[in-house]
Amino acid sequence: DAGVTQSPTHLIKTRGQQVTLRCSPISGHKSVSWYQQVLGQGPQFIFQYYEKEERGRGNFPDRFSARQFPNYSSELNVNALLLGDSALYLCASSINPFMVTGELFFGEGSRLTVL
Amino acid sequence: SQQGEEDPQALSIQEGENATMNCSYKTSINNLQWYRQNSGRGLVHLILIRSNEREKHSGRLRVTLDTSKKSSSLLITASRAADTASYFCATAVNYGGSQGNLIFGKGTKLSVKP
């Protein structure tokens, strides 16, 4: 079975532009989470979606938004890009939304560079 | 904000030696998980230990949890060059209504020399 897939793998944008990152979860997984990982740091939680509804949001500005589609795939959008948005964006899926019971399965990430 | 803090930040050992990484956290947890990340790639789940467990084994991995000290340790025995990676602890915390995210530490960068 395919794992979590993310696209694009690498992209370069300039300040002020907008970016859309895509994620397909493992088949049967209904929960998708997004994390931002700045170089040298651990992943920071951005959003979680389950059954197309937002179930959690981290401490990120409103420039960050996401959605989940009926097939459980997800998009993360970032508007008005800043240099500090340069990071590895990780998508993770899980069977249920409760981390108290389960683990996350991560994709390989989308490396965003903002110039 | 980061809940967990790994120690040491970096660890360099020879193949065949054991590697021990520690994690401290701040608030009560439901479980603690360890993940591995090869350079610049996605994270891979290694092991989960619940708050009512004290020790857990998986292959060459041994994890301990001391909830009174709010700390955990990951031991990799008989390390191999292929174990070279960053290792993160992550905690699942019961916030009001939000049980769906993990809080990661900054990681320990392990280098195993052949």
Side-chain angles (χ1 to χ4, degrees):
Chain A
D1 285 342
V4 177
T5 58
Q6 292 187 242
S7 64
T9 56
H10 294 82
L11 68 165
I12 300 173
K13 294 284 187 178
T14 57
R15 280 177 294 175
Q17 285 189 313
Q18 175 263 343
V19 67
T20 298
L21 308 176
R22 297 176 177 81
C23 171
S24 292
I26 291 173
S27 178
H29 286 192
K30 298 181 179 180
S31 177
V32 170
S33 299
W34 287 95
Y35 286 78
Q36 181 196 64
Q37 186 179 23
V38 174
L39 195 63
Q41 301 290 317
Q44 295 276 325
F45 173 70
I46 310 175
F47 285 111
Q48 185 201 38
Y49 276 78
Y50 179 71
E51 294 280 16
K52 296 173 288 180
E53 292 189 0
E54 182 182 302
R55 293 293 295 264
R57 172 187 282 257
N59 188 24
F60 280 82
D62 292 344
R63 299 184 297 106
F64 288 76
S65 64
R67 56 180 175 168
Q68 187 176 34
F69 299 99
N71 66 353
Y72 304 112
S73 66
S74 177
E75 286 183 352
L76 174 70
N77 295 285
V78 186
N79 294 323
L81 285 168
L82 304 174
L83 295 178
D85 295 331
S86 295
L88 181 67
Y89 288 85
L90 294 161
C91 174
S93 73
S94 57
I95 292 174
N96 65 58
F98 304 113
M99 287 301 99
V100 296
T101 58
E103 65 193 76
L104 289 175
F105 295 83
F106 282 86
E108 293 295 334
S110 294
R111 171 74 63 187
L112 171 65
T113 301
V114 181
L115 301 177
Chain B
S1 62
Q2 316 235 215
Q3 152 91 308
E5 292 291 337
E6 288 91 342
D7 171 58
Q9 292 185 351
L11 179 61
S12 181
I13 59 174
Q14 296 293 132
E15 245 185 348
E17 294 181 338
N18 295 341
T20 300
M21 288 159 268
N22 302 297
C23 168
S24 60
Y25 57 90
K26 299 174 184 174
T27 63
S28 296
I29 61 172
N30 295 95
N31 69 58
L32 186 143
Q33 304 181 27
W34 285 90
Y35 287 80
R36 164 198 167 123
Q37 183 179 38
N38 287 356
S39 181
R41 306 195 64 180
L43 281 77
V44 175
H45 180 265
L46 295 175
I47 196 165
L48 179 154
I49 186 166
R50 304 190 189 286
S51 59
N52 61 353
E53 297 176 312
R54 292 297 167 257
E55 187 170 312
K56 203 163 183 179
H57 296 255
S58 177
R60 294 185 296 113
L61 305 180
R62 182 174 78 100
V63 169
T64 61
L65 179 64
D66 187 335
T67 54
S68 66
K69 295 182 179 179
K70 291 186 170 58
S71 67
S72 173
S73 68
L74 171 68
L75 169 67
I76 304 174
T77 60
S79 62
R80 306 165 182 168
D83 294 328
T84 295
S86 292
Y87 292 82
F88 295 90
C89 68
T91 51
V93 180
N94 257 338
Y95 295 122
S98 174
Q99 299 177 331
N101 61 292
L102 292 177
I103 304 175
F104 287 84
K106 294 183 179 180
T108 291
K109 194 167 186 177
L110 173 65
S111 174
V112 182
K113 299 178 180 178

